[in-house]
Amino acid sequence: MSEKTDLKKLEEEITSLKKTIEILHETESGLLKENNELKEIKKYFDVLMQNTEDYILICDSNGIPRAFNSSYKTVVENLLGIKMEPGVQPFEISDKAKARGYWESLQKRAINGEKFTAEFNDDEREGYFETIFCPVKEGDKVTGFTEITRNITEHKKVKKALEEANSFSSNLLEKAPIAILVSDPNTSIMYVNSLFEKLTGFTKEEAHGVKIPYPWWVDDPNYDSVEETKKIILKSSIRAERRYRKKNGEYSWVEVNTMPIYQNGELSYILAMWIDISERKKAEQENIVLQEKLHRSQTMESLGLLAGGVAHDLNNVLAGIVSYPDLLLSGLPADSKLKMPLETIKEAGDRATAIVQDLLTIARGVATEKSNMDINNLVYDYLRSPECEKLQQYHPGVAINTCLDNSLLNVKGSYIHLRKALMNLVSNASEAIEDEGNITISTKNCFLEAPLKENPEIKPGEYIVLSVADEGVGISTEDLKRIFEPFFTKKVMGRSGTGLGLAVVWNVMREHNGYVNVESEKKGTTFELYFPASREALSTQDLEITIEDIKGNGQKILIVDDVEGQRHICGQILEKLGYRVHTAASGEEAVEYLKHTAVDLVLLDMLMDPGINGLETFERIIKIHPHQKAALISGYAATDEVKRAQGLGAGALIKKPVTIKNLGIAVKEELEKK
């Protein structure tokens, strides 16, 4: 039994031993296979180690080299002059290892488990190198580290060249004489240069990332930003002139040239170049304004010549309507039945004369004298006048308010014509208000240090500003260009005058060396009249003159006029005033008469046709009688010929059509001169 048991155990042990042997054979086979695989891996690792240009070093946890490739071995041996073998610490045995402390600090970081990159330059080889330190771990334990060093000299050179190229490009863009924008294919701005900042006031940071449509573009019906961008994407460049708004709210102009930039067939950037054309645009606008002014001036000149010719003839016709009633009324008793008809005729003649004066105002000016006056008083006088009362009857819903400066300086001007200008402006303002509204008449002192921004034509200086503002419907842009043209009107036919109102205003201001500024919108219009200010005292008012005050004492007067009616009416007036009268129908006739006869005064018409005019007639007269007294008569203002005649000794200029008062005063004052 015992032997059988022992035999059985022996068999079991033999079986177990066989299994163990099988396992050992299998393990040995696996180990052999794994060893072969490791050998294969090591072969490839050795090939990689020995054939890379990088310098590879493997160290243990104490920093002792355990493996390295031929590149590392070669450079260390050449650099330090030692034989490199595993286990040798080259930086300890070489007297050239000046960097030992530096490398030990780097290796210490790697042994502590840090993976990092260090860059250094080699003065002896004039190159740059980069080393990657990487710890080798078994679990959490560091068993060594690797160093892989690469020559990056060429990379550095390329990088430096790129930096220099970028710097050059950047300087080129920054110093370019044009503004430059670069955007991505989605039109988001990536870059703007300094000139863009200077032109617009927007900084690079504010512009970065902005997309079309750009916030600084002014709406332009001729330019669709989105559509133009599509053209760029479709490989076409564009050119356009654009108005833009600066950050400070000012406006300016640029010429925009935009083109797509492609790389490898793909749209990469959109390049936009701005050329500042603000000065050119300003010059173009000024030229347009000058052309408009020239056209208006030529139109006014042509219409003025027409109006002047018509007015001159009408003045001669009106002499009978104005002067004769005046003459007849002076001799009628107060209860005469003829008084009212004659006054009606005279009133009609005065209204016709006013129209003629308007025509002359837009022609070459009327014969007027200027004196220092207070514009505020003129406003008060007009508001109390029958004309203003009648106007308010036509427009009961219109209220006229005033805002007058009590410290207003004076103006040197013609009371009649400035009052007419004010009356025309208030009439226009009333017509502009459809139902109810306000008109405000204002005055103020104004000193301009620079030309008026809204109207550069108004130069620096000290002014009195008379303004008339209404709450009407405003004036369209097209109509604003024509409002000062004679006969241009959009008022009520038959109730609003001749269409000369604003033409009169414009010419009155021209005659007074002043300016008109107009601002209009849908809420109303404001006319501002700029008069040169005067610091002289107000002119004294004339006392009431009677016929007895202007009567003569039998002095002999020679009337020279080519119009018979003028000669006759002037003669009738002067004879009534106690003068002896002789007449001449031309300058030649007057000169011939004075060769043989002396007179106390020559009443000389300045415009005579045919024959010599008033100036030449007077020049010939003073050759005969060097100290001959003379008074001039004309429907026009003081022309150069009038001034030349007065410079030769002629006296006052009398305005046509004549009245007893204006003719009598001028003649008497001239005769009393010594």
Side-chain angles (χ1 to χ4, degrees):
M1 182 71 180
S2 175
E3 290 179 358
K4 287 182 180 180
T5 300
D6 291 340
L7 180 61
K8 187 176 181 179
K9 287 182 179 179
L10 180 61
E11 288 177 350
E12 289 176 351
E13 289 177 356
I14 291 171
T15 301
S16 176
L17 182 61
K18 285 180 179 179
K19 288 182 179 179
T20 300
I21 292 171
E22 287 176 358
I23 291 171
L24 287 175
H25 281 297
E26 289 176 359
T27 302
E28 182 182 13
S29 176
L31 289 174
L32 288 174
K33 183 179 180 181
E34 184 176 340
N35 184 52
N36 290 333
E37 289 176 353
L38 287 174
K39 286 182 180 180
E40 189 71 16
I41 291 172
K42 184 177 182 303
K43 181 179 70 173
Y44 287 116
F45 178 75
D46 288 341
V47 170
L48 177 64
M49 284 274 288
Q50 302 306 325
N51 289 280
T52 182
E53 293 183 357
D54 294 343
Y55 314 128
I56 300 175
L57 172 68
I58 301 174
C59 297
D60 61 19
S61 59
N62 296 315
I64 305 299
R66 293 305 178 191
F68 44 83
N69 65 356
S70 58
S71 297
Y72 185 90
K73 181 177 187 307
T74 301
V75 71
V76 169
E77 290 181 348
N78 291 339
L79 183 64
L80 301 180
I82 63 171
K83 186 174 179 59
M84 187 64 188
E85 295 178 354
V88 174
Q89 294 180 308
F91 294 104
E92 290 184 356
I93 63 176
S94 172
D95 57 357
K96 295 183 180 181
K98 298 177 183 179
R100 177 182 175 185
Y102 171 72
W103 282 98
E104 283 183 345
S105 66
L106 295 179
Q107 291 174 349
K108 184 177 180 180
R109 289 171 60 188
I111 291 171
N112 288 333
E114 183 179 350
K115 181 180 179 180
F116 61 94
T117 301
E119 190 175 303
F120 62 95
N121 64 307
D122 186 338
D123 294 335
E124 290 191 20
R125 286 181 292 172
E126 297 182 351
Y128 291 88
F129 298 85
E130 177 184 76
T131 299
I132 300 173
F133 288 83
C134 185
V136 177
K137 294 182 179 181
E138 292 183 5
D140 294 332
K141 182 179 180 181
V142 177
T143 59
F145 61 89
T146 62
E147 295 177 14
I148 302 175
T149 301
R150 178 171 295 166
N151 189 329
I152 60 171
T153 302
E154 290 303 317
H155 171 74
K156 278 285 188 178
K157 288 180 179 179
V158 171
K159 183 179 179 181
K160 184 178 180 181
L162 287 173
E163 288 175 351
E164 290 176 349
N166 289 335
S167 175
F168 174 79
S169 299
S170 177
N171 287 333
L172 183 64
L173 293 174
E174 287 299 311
K175 295 179 180 179
I178 57 176
I180 295 176
L181 296 83
V182 179
S183 61
D184 63 22
N186 295 319
T187 73
S188 294
I189 291 180
M190 302 168 62
Y191 167 84
V192 295
N193 68 350
S194 298
L195 189 55
F196 173 88
E197 294 181 306
K198 183 178 179 181
L199 288 181
T200 66
F202 291 95
T203 64
K204 291 179 170 66
E205 292 75 18
E206 290 170 327
H208 190 271
V210 174
K211 293 187 67 173
I212 288 178
Y214 301 131
W216 42 78
W217 282 151
V218 176
D219 291 338
D220 184 349
N222 298 318
Y223 187 94
D224 186 322
S225 298
V226 176
E227 288 301 318
E228 295 301 326
T229 303
K230 289 180 180 178
K231 290 181 182 179
I232 299 170
I233 296 173
L234 294 173
K235 303 183 180 182
S236 63
S237 301
I238 63 169
R239 175 186 175 279
E241 292 182 355
R242 289 302 310 269
R243 186 166 177 252
Y244 69 96
R245 185 185 298 106
K246 298 182 180 181
K247 188 177 180 181
N248 62 8
E250 294 179 358
Y251 293 89
S252 194
W253 283 88
V254 288
E255 177 187 303
V256 181
N257 292 275
T258 311
M259 64 182 68
I261 305 297
Y262 286 85
Q263 292 180 333
N264 300 321
E266 296 290 331
L267 178 65
S268 300
Y269 308 103
I270 299 173
L271 175 65
M273 295 166 285
W274 287 17
I275 301 173
D276 185 8
I277 59 171
S278 52
E279 289 300 319
R280 174 164 68 81
K281 278 291 181 180
K282 181 180 177 182
E284 288 176 357
Q285 293 299 320
E286 289 175 350
N287 185 55
I288 291 172
V289 172
L290 288 174
Q291 290 295 329
E292 289 178 349
K293 286 182 179 179
L294 177 61
H295 174 71
R296 184 172 64 184
S297 177
Q298 290 172 337
T299 301
M300 298 289 279
E301 184 69 22
S302 299
L303 291 171
L305 290 173
L306 172 63
V310 172
H312 179 263
D313 292 339
L314 284 176
N315 256 333
N316 292 328
V317 173
L318 287 172
I321 301 175
V322 175
S323 303
Y324 273 119
D326 197 26
L327 182 62
L328 293 171
L329 284 167
S330 66
L332 285 178
D335 58 351
S336 173
K337 293 181 179 180
L338 294 175
K339 186 175 181 181
M340 183 176 290
L342 287 172
E343 286 178 343
T344 303
I345 294 171
K346 185 176 185 301
E347 183 182 348
D350 288 340
R351 289 199 302 268
T353 299
I355 296 174
V356 171
Q357 299 305 307
D358 287 347
L359 288 171
L360 288 171
T361 300
I362 66 171
R364 282 170 272 179
V366 291
T368 59
E369 291 186 2
K370 297 182 178 68
S371 59
N372 283 299
M373 54 186 289
D374 185 341
I375 291 289
N376 287 344
N377 290 337
L378 182 145
V379 174
Y380 290 133
D381 289 347
Y382 168 70
L383 293 178
R384 294 191 293 264
S385 70
E387 294 93 339
C388 185
E389 182 180 346
K390 186 176 180 181
L391 183 69
Q392 289 184 302
Q393 290 175 359
Y394 277 131
H395 306 280
V398 175
I400 302 177
N401 307 303
T402 60
C403 182
L404 307 181
D405 187 344
N406 293 327
S407 62
L408 199 67
L409 296 173
N410 297 326
V411 169
K412 190 168 186 178
S414 165
Y415 178 88
I416 294 174
H417 292 90
L418 296 190
R419 186 175 180 277
K420 184 64 180 264
L422 173 63
M423 182 177 71
N424 289 345
L425 290 179
V426 175
S427 176
N428 275 9
S430 299
E431 291 283 349
I433 298 173
E434 294 181 340
D435 295 312
E436 295 182 351
N438 294 302
I439 296 173
T440 303
I441 304 174
S442 307
T443 59
K444 66 178 180 179
N445 296 314
C446 177
F447 180 76
L448 296 179
E449 295 184 353
L452 190 68
K453 186 176 181 180
E454 297 81 6
N455 189 346
E457 188 180 68
I458 303 179
K459 306 303 180 185
E462 191 172 36
Y463 295 95
I464 302 304
V465 182
L466 170 64
S467 64
V468 177
D470 65 62
E471 296 176 345
V473 296
I475 305 172
S476 70
T477 303
E478 289 303 313
D479 287 347
L480 273 175
K481 298 176 181 179
R482 301 189 58 198
I483 58 175
F484 294 113
E485 293 180 10
F487 312 115
F488 177 77
T489 180
K490 290 195 172 183
K491 294 183 180 180
V492 179
M493 184 63 68
R495 194 178 78 186
S496 306
T498 59
L500 298 175
L502 291 180
V504 169
V505 172
W506 190 82
N507 282 277
V508 166
M509 296 308 295
R510 182 184 64 176
E511 291 295 324
H512 285 77
N513 298 316
Y515 304 93
V516 184
N517 185 55
V518 187
E519 296 180 2
S520 187
E521 54 185 18
K522 292 182 179 180
K523 296 181 180 180
T525 302
T526 299
F527 283 83
E528 294 179 323
L529 308 185
Y530 283 75
F531 297 95
S534 172
R535 293 183 177 272
E536 296 179 12
L538 294 177
S539 302
T540 57
Q541 298 294 321
D542 294 334
L543 298 175
E544 186 63 32
I545 302 295
T546 67
I547 290 180
E548 292 300 321
D549 295 325
I550 56 177
K551 276 192 172 183
N553 192 25
Q555 294 96 329
K556 189 173 182 179
I557 310 293
L558 174 62
I559 301 173
V560 186
D561 199 305
D562 61 327
V563 179
E564 182 179 0
Q566 288 288 330
R567 297 195 301 271
H568 188 267
I569 189 61
C570 288
Q572 290 285 308
I573 292 173
L574 292 175
E575 286 178 352
K576 183 175 182 64
L577 293 175
Y579 297 102
R580 293 179 295 134
V581 175
H582 185 81
T583 62
S586 66
E588 291 86 349
E589 183 180 334
V591 172
E592 192 63 32
Y593 176 80
L594 291 172
K595 286 181 180 179
H596 310 287
T597 307
V599 297
D600 296 295
L601 180 76
V602 176
L603 183 61
L604 182 59
D605 185 21
M606 288 304 295
L607 185 60
M608 294 182 287
D609 185 48
I612 59 176
N613 62 17
L615 174 61
E616 189 173 348
T617 300
F618 188 65
E619 288 173 339
R620 295 187 186 185
I621 288 173
I622 59 177
K623 289 180 180 179
I624 302 169
H625 302 288
H627 302 292
Q628 178 66 61
K629 291 183 177 181
L632 308 177
I633 185 168
S634 176
Y636 296 116
T639 62
D640 290 340
E641 290 184 345
V642 169
K643 293 175 183 178
R644 285 171 60 188
Q646 290 174 329
L648 294 172
L653 176 64
I654 305 165
K655 180 178 67 174
K656 288 183 179 181
V658 298
T659 64
I660 293 177
K661 184 177 178 180
N662 70 357
L663 181 59
I665 291 173
V667 169
K668 186 162 187 177
E669 287 181 351
E670 197 61 33
L671 286 170
E672 289 178 349
K673 286 182 180 178
K674 294 182 179 179

